[in-house]
Structure formats: structure tokens, C-alpha cells
Amino acid sequence: MGLVLVGLSHHVAPVELRERVALDPERAGALAAALGEGRAEAVCLSTCNRTELYVAAEDAIGAESRAVEALRELAAEAAAELGAVVYRLHDEAAALHLFRVAAGLDSMVPGEGEILGQVRSAFEVGSTGPVLDRLFRQALHVGKKVRSETAIAESPASVSSAAAALAQQVFGALDGREVLLIGAGKTGELAARSLASRGARIAAVASRTPERARAVAERFGAQAITLDEVSRQLATVDVLVSATGAPGLVVSAGQVAGALARRRGRPLFAIDIAVPRDLDPAIHDLEGCYLYDIDDLEAVVAESLSGRRREATRAETLALEEAERFREWRSSREVVPAIASLRARAEEIRRSELARADARLERLTDNERRAVESVTAQIVAKLLHLPTVRVKQAAATPAGAVYVDALEHLFGLGEEER
Amino acid sequence: MAELLFWPAFLAYSEAVLAYAGNVRTPGLAGRLATWGVRLGWLAQTGLLAVQAVRADGFPWSTWAGSLNLFVWLVVTAYLIWGCRPRYRLLGLAVMPLAAALLLTSRLGGGTSVGGRPRYSDLFLALHVGLVLAAFAGFTLAAGLAALYLWQERGLKRRRASVLRVRAPALATLETLTGRTIAVALPALTLGIVVGLVRLREEGGGLDALMVVTLLTWLVYGAYLLLRYELGWRGRRTAYLALVGFLLVITVRLGLPLTHFS
């Protein structure tokens, strides 16, 4: 059974084309069912960066044509553009590609975690059989392994996640930590959301326009306050996020210094993602206060991404090892029919010989007959054990087919059917 | 037998040191190898101490080098309780070189062999030496935590772009653990000192310089707890105070041969 991958991704196709062939889970399931008709298997993986159709079929060439045709139908009037961007991979190359995708090595941000869930969802709605079931389970295993054995997914890949990771470096778990958000714009909200997703509580939202403060505060279940009330809040919050459009400083070092006595040594982590800056840089010089502006956060992200790329080299090795394991598994599957025939032939001979000797065994008691059955079965099993193991091992090597042929020739397997 | 067990312990601790260093460059397998080095080394050293205890005539670690052997074991035990977690592997890089070096020093001083009959009663030695050494082991670990805190804090203050690259515990966690370790170790030191003072009174002796430094150590750590838990001191100031206390611990350890074993 051949394995085929037909697809396009952000590496080669523009977003205008990718969005045309994108599939929601329901349509991905329907297409997989259509491509998997007969004895074929199919899984459609569709994310914002790629649409890939994995098909396993006896007729690999036919399966590939059907998959390309399916993409053409999805692209509709843009079908002509597909020719230059669609890639087609076969067998081990297709498996390696999926393992790299699951590991996040094919993503824009190396090691990003979302892709693993998307691979799982595609697998769940796919029309799978033994080949794709094994392939996708192994891909999920590779994805988890890469993330646990390398540090590829540990460091933040965006300014807001860097801010949250730095806050965790100060406080540990953010559960119950209180955040004051100054500014009701999108950027600040994004940073606050990133902190909230890690357990922090957005305690208050301050803005020059009370209505906007109230709207954002409502979304977080926080208290809306005015900028004049910020000083009071500084004594209690753990994290300060500021992202206003104000032309000058919004919080001075003096304000924070004034709050320090009431903080009883508790650290304050301040994030200033506004340009021009909102928070007095001198805040960073105060004991227990850490202020990171947009440049600092971007430097952390850049370093983190270069770290991810370094880890990607190790992850590539893991993906290659798994691809090799998949190749071995597929090769060993090819000898299964020959082994099954050999065992069937041996069992048939054993039974027919026992039947021929039936008259001579008549005098035996039931227990003795069972013993003879058992002993003959054991002899057959033991005789076939080593050849079975050896031929499975050989199947994983380039000479595997020769061994299968030899086995069939020596034992005359399949001859009676001819 | 005791001497034979020294080598596996020393080699395993040394392997842990190298693996911890490797873990800073490439986290993962090296870190796990380091953890196993610590565990196996600790098992070997536990065996070494057990053999010493069985074969000795009286309290087996009454010499300076012997007490150093016990001290190393206590430090590694305290570290093993929670230090083997991936985030604390940097602490291992501070603790394990010290443990390996002190274990070697102990051997060179004869502390890993079976000693002779000690001068003092076994009960006194077990209580006084045991408690003081347990407290010192705690203070050593607290100093490692405080040093890690200062290193980590410096990275955040300098806004090092690579501050997230090395996995390390959060500042708040390090500070809490330092405080708790000292809070557990100080009562042990207090009891150890009381036992020592009772014996001193019975024998009618006076305080020597080392005893004064030990009392000073007690005062520094007492002040640490007071300032941290009552007056709300946090951060660098308390970390430095923990390190000052550790300097006094080192002074006591180094001064012992001059006053108690001369």
C-alpha cells in the first residue's frame, strides 16, 4: 500500500490561495471519507498555514490524482495557480513531512504548540486504516517527544507571551497574582490576556476614557478606574501593564517609590508596551521593581526564537529517527502475508498428518491425544519462530524483498492458488 | 569497606558536577544524568556512613574530617529532597562541586575511614555535632538558593535577553525556599548550641573564639528570620544576609581544627 501526500503550505502558497483550500473539521472529515472510499485511507490536515491530504492506497498513482483533483475543486477559479505550489510526497518522505509538521518544525514559529492539536483533530475526523492510523499516532508521539525532550517550545515567541514568561520568572505561578492594566487598547489587552491565561487576575483597568476602561474591565471581570487612582493600586498589584497612547509618562518613579513602603518588599513587574513610553524608566532602579519596555521584550523574543532554531536541529534528528522507524514498520508489514501463508501451510501439514495417523492414534486416551496435538503444535511453532523473526528483521533492509521471494519459493507458498 | 565506598560516592558526585555543567549548555539528558549521579552518590555515601557507624567504637564522626563527611551527606540529603527538580538544576551546579570537593577533603583528612574512640560521650556528640551539622547543611543550601536568587535577579535587572534561556526557579520561589530552609535550620542550631553550652557549663570551661562566631552565626540567621517575616524584608537584602551567615558557617568549619581538634 502506497502513502501519498498532496498539499500546499505557507512556504510556497500565498494566503489568498491557502484560504481557498482551507477546510473546517467537518469538511475535512467529508473529504477524507470521499478520498478513503474503497480500501483507501485518507486524512485531511488543514490549518491556517497548510492544507495537506494524506492518502494510503494500493493504487498510489490513482490516489494522488484524486487528491490533486480534490484540491483543484477546492481552489475553484484559482485552480490554475495550484500547479506551481502543490507538493507531492510519497512513502517515507510523506511520513517525515508529517512528523516535522507535528513537531512544529514546519511552522512559522518553530515548535509552536497549536499544530499538535490540529494534527490530532485531523486524525480524529479522518478515514483511517492500519497505515494512516499508525502514521498519525506516531506523528502525535513525535510532536510530544520533541516538546518534552528538547526546549523548542519552552521560550516565548511573541511580545505578550514574553511579558507573561518574565512575570513568571519573578513570581513563579501567576495564579492569584493581580494585574493593573493601564490603557484600553488592543495591545495592552493582548498582554493582559496572556497573563490571565496563565492564572493572573486582572484586578483593574485604567484609562483616560472611562467608557473604554469599563468595556475592557467588564471583559476581564475587573474594576474600571481613572488614571488618578493608579497610585493607590500600585500598592497592591503584582504586575503593571501599560499601553496607552499618551504623549508623556503616565506613571512616575516617584509614584511607585511612594507605594513601595506599603508593598512590604513584594516585587513589582512592570511592562511598558507603549511608544512613546508610559512608565518612568527610573522605576527599574527601585528595589524589587522590574520594568521591561517594548525593546526589551522584543530582544527577549528574538533571543528566544534563535534558541528555538537551535533546538530545532535536535528536533529534526528525532523526526528523522521516527521516520526511519515508520519505514521499518511498513517494510515489516510487507512480509506479513508471506509469514501468514507459511504458518497456514505448516498448520495445514500438521493437521493433515495427524488426520492420516488417526487410525494409529485411535487407542490413545483423550489426554494423550491432547498431548500429541500440543507437542506437534509446539514443534511447528518453534520451527517457524526463528525464520519469522529473521524475515521480519530482513524486511527492514533493502534486501527484504529477496527474503520474501526466497521464503515463498522454498516453501512453495501461494503455488496451489496459481 | 568504608574506604571502598568512598570512590563510588566521590565519582558519582563528580559525574553530577560535569553533567550539571553540561546541562547549562544543553538541557535534557545531561540534567537527568546529573540527578542520577547525585542519587547514586548519595546511596554510596549513605553506605559509607553506615559502615563507619557499625564499625566505629562510639560516635563515628567526631574528628574534623569525619564531621565534614557527615556534613556533606546532610547537604546532599537536603538537596535531594527537592533540588533534583529540573528547575533547580542550576542549584546543583553550586551545591555538588562543593559536596565533591568537601568529600575529597574529608577523605584526605581521614574522615572516610573508621576512627578511634572519641573524647566526648556519644550522646553529647550525636546531639551537638549532629544538630549543628544539620543546621549548617541547611544554611549551605540556603546560601546556594540565595546565590541563585542574586544571579537570577541580576539577569532580570540587567534585562538580559537570554534571561529565559536557562531554566531556573522564579525569584519568589527562591526567596521563599531560602526563608523556609533557614527557618528549619535555625532551631537545630539553637538546640546544638544549647547542648554545647550545657556541657561547657558542666566542664567549667569558657567560650572560645569559635563559639563566639557560632553565636554570631545564630544572631545573623535569627536577624534574617526577624527581618524577613516580621519587618517584611525581601529581595537582595535578605539574600545578602543569608550569604553573610554562610560566610560565618565557613569560618566555623575552617576554625574547628584550630580550636576543637588541636
Side-chain angles (χ1 to χ4, degrees):
Chain A
M1 194 176 246
L3 174 63
V4 180
L5 155 64
V6 175
L8 52 89
S9 75
H10 62 290
H11 293 301
V12 286
V15 67
E16 295 79 16
L17 191 54
R18 296 204 308 272
E19 65 191 9
R20 278 182 175 277
V21 296
L23 297 160
D24 57 37
E26 199 178 322
R27 288 173 67 209
L31 180 57
L35 290 171
E37 269 177 10
R39 290 181 61 208
E41 306 170 30
V43 172
C44 304
L45 173 64
S46 187
T47 70
C48 51
N49 281 337
R50 65 183 63 72
T51 294
E52 293 177 340
L53 312 179
Y54 293 85
V55 188
E58 292 293 348
D59 173 18
I61 297 168
E64 184 180 319
S65 307
R66 284 200 306 281
V68 172
E69 196 47 45
L71 279 182
R72 280 183 186 286
E73 280 174 27
L74 288 171
E77 59 261 38
E81 295 170 41
L82 281 178
V85 295
V86 163
Y87 42 77
R88 303 153 193 233
L89 298 172
H90 301 93
D91 302 320
E92 280 69 61
L96 177 61
H97 179 83
L98 178 62
F99 295 164
R100 292 187 74 254
V101 167
L105 293 168
D106 196 55
S107 302
M108 275 183 176
V109 176
E112 57 98 1
E114 209 181 339
I115 186 66
L116 199 56
Q118 291 165 328
V119 170
R120 181 178 290 110
S121 304
F123 172 45
E124 282 167 0
V125 299
S127 179
T128 57
V131 176
L132 289 192
D133 188 79
R134 164 82 186 204
L135 178 71
F136 274 79
R137 281 184 197 283
Q138 205 171 334
L140 293 171
H141 168 71
V142 176
K144 284 183 204 156
K145 190 174 175 183
V146 158
R147 284 167 181 82
S148 65
E149 292 189 11
T150 73
I152 195 167
E154 274 180 13
S155 44
S158 66
V159 164
S160 54
S161 59
L166 285 165
Q168 283 182 312
Q169 202 59 56
V170 174
F171 300 107
L174 294 182
D175 298 299
R177 296 285 176 182
E178 297 204 340
V179 179
L180 166 61
L181 172 62
I182 305 177
K186 282 258 176 271
T187 323
E189 194 176 334
L190 198 66
R193 207 164 283 288
S194 180
L195 290 162
S197 71
R198 299 180 192 214
R201 190 176 81 81
I202 313 301
V205 179
S207 174
R208 274 173 302 180
T209 31
E211 303 80 48
R212 293 186 66 188
R214 266 197 296 277
V216 176
E218 222 166 75
R219 284 201 281 278
F220 286 114
Q223 180 194 0
I225 59 169
T226 63
L227 290 179
D228 296 334
E229 292 172 286
V230 163
S231 292
R232 188 169 47 83
Q233 288 286 334
L234 287 174
T236 54
V237 297
D238 301 294
V239 182
L240 169 63
V241 180
S242 194
T244 75
L249 294 178
V250 175
V251 178
S252 69
Q255 277 175 283
V256 178
L260 282 184
R262 282 171 288 157
R263 296 184 62 82
R264 284 181 64 86
R266 278 190 306 125
L268 175 72
F269 184 67
I271 304 158
D272 188 352
I273 35 184
V275 178
R277 288 177 291 179
D278 285 343
L279 307 179
D280 189 345
I283 291 172
H284 191 67
D285 300 330
L286 299 171
E287 179 156 7
C289 295
Y290 309 93
L291 168 62
Y292 278 69
D293 63 27
I294 188 76
D295 281 359
D296 303 324
L297 293 172
E298 276 173 357
V300 170
V301 171
E303 163 66 25
S304 151
L305 287 178
S306 76
R308 280 181 181 236
R309 280 189 278 274
R310 277 194 299 274
E311 287 299 297
T313 315
R314 293 174 61 207
E316 291 280 6
T317 310
L318 290 174
L320 271 170
E321 285 169 6
E322 292 295 329
E324 176 58 19
R325 222 163 272 157
F326 181 74
R327 190 191 67 77
E328 286 174 9
W329 174 79
R330 285 193 70 212
S331 303
S332 69
R333 265 177 58 83
E334 281 165 16
V335 299
V336 169
I339 292 171
S341 300
L342 176 64
R343 288 185 171 272
R345 166 63 61 88
E347 181 62 13
E348 185 190 316
I349 293 169
R350 186 182 76 85
R351 287 191 177 282
S352 69
E353 288 305 309
L354 279 176
R356 274 175 49 185
D358 202 39
R360 279 176 285 158
L361 300 175
E362 235 176 21
R363 283 173 297 166
L364 299 183
T365 64
D366 282 352
N367 274 349
E368 286 166 339
R369 283 180 77 93
R370 271 198 292 274
V372 170
E373 281 270 345
S374 167
V375 165
T376 52
Q378 276 176 23
I379 290 168
V380 168
K382 282 191 175 168
L383 264 176
L384 294 185
H385 175 71
L386 196 57
T388 305
V389 171
R390 291 269 162 89
V391 83
K392 274 186 179 170
Q393 285 169 347
T397 67
V402 178
Y403 276 82
V404 175
D405 286 346
L407 197 68
E408 288 175 344
H409 176 71
L410 290 173
F411 290 92
L413 304 176
E415 279 177 5
E416 61 278 18
E417 287 101 27
R418 280 175 212 155
Chain B
M1 179 67 183
E3 289 289 312
L4 279 179
L5 281 166
F6 161 79
W7 286 108
F10 177 69
L11 289 175
Y13 288 164
S14 303
E15 181 273 334
V17 173
L18 293 175
Y20 274 130
N23 187 61
V24 175
R25 268 183 73 86
T26 321
L29 179 66
R32 290 198 290 278
L33 287 173
T35 304
W36 278 105
V38 179
R39 285 173 181 157
L40 294 174
W42 181 84
L43 278 176
Q45 200 189 356
T46 306
L48 166 67
L49 295 178
V51 172
Q52 283 182 305
V54 168
R55 296 217 177 144
D57 181 18
F59 187 71
W61 307 287
S62 56
T63 63
W64 181 78
S67 70
L68 200 57
N69 183 12
L70 182 62
F71 172 70
V72 170
W73 183 81
L74 287 165
V75 169
V76 178
T77 305
Y79 172 70
L80 263 178
I81 294 170
W82 44 261
C84 285
R85 285 184 234 158
R87 276 204 172 266
Y88 288 89
R89 282 177 182 155
L90 270 182
L91 184 62
L93 196 55
V95 170
M96 292 319 293
L98 185 72
L102 292 183
L103 187 61
L104 186 64
T105 311
S106 169
R107 179 185 158 85
L108 295 175
T112 55
S113 57
V114 178
R117 180 85 204 144
R119 241 183 332 148
Y120 304 113
S121 80
D122 293 346
L123 182 64
F124 165 73
L125 285 171
L127 284 175
H128 178 63
V129 176
L131 286 167
V132 172
L133 283 183
F136 280 8
F139 295 146
T140 306
L141 213 57
L145 289 163
L148 193 54
Y149 175 93
L150 289 171
W151 178 81
Q152 179 78 344
E153 209 260 355
R154 196 163 158 229
L156 283 163
K157 273 289 184 195
R158 289 190 172 188
R159 299 189 178 112
R160 262 200 317 250
S162 59
V163 71
L164 296 174
R165 197 199 300 161
V166 180
R167 288 184 82 187
L171 290 185
T173 313
L174 287 169
E175 197 181 42
T176 307
L177 279 174
T178 309
R180 282 184 191 164
T181 310
I182 291 172
V184 169
L186 191 63
L189 180 66
T190 312
L191 282 174
I193 289 174
V194 168
V195 171
L197 288 175
V198 168
R199 188 196 63 82
L200 194 68
R201 197 187 153 125
E202 282 171 1
E203 291 190 353
L207 288 177
D208 59 25
L210 201 70
M211 291 172 190
V212 173
V213 179
T214 308
L215 289 173
L216 196 59
T217 308
W218 185 90
L219 275 177
V220 168
Y221 284 111
Y224 175 98
L225 293 182
L226 185 75
L227 291 168
R228 190 189 186 284
Y229 290 104
E230 290 302 319
L231 300 180
W233 273 35
R234 291 283 193 284
R236 264 180 287 180
R237 285 184 296 181
T238 45
Y240 283 128
L241 200 55
L243 289 180
V244 168
F246 183 59
L247 282 179
L248 294 173
V249 168
I250 294 174
T251 310
V252 174
R253 284 293 324 168
L254 293 177
L256 267 173
L258 301 175
T259 55
H260 285 52
F261 298 102
S262 53

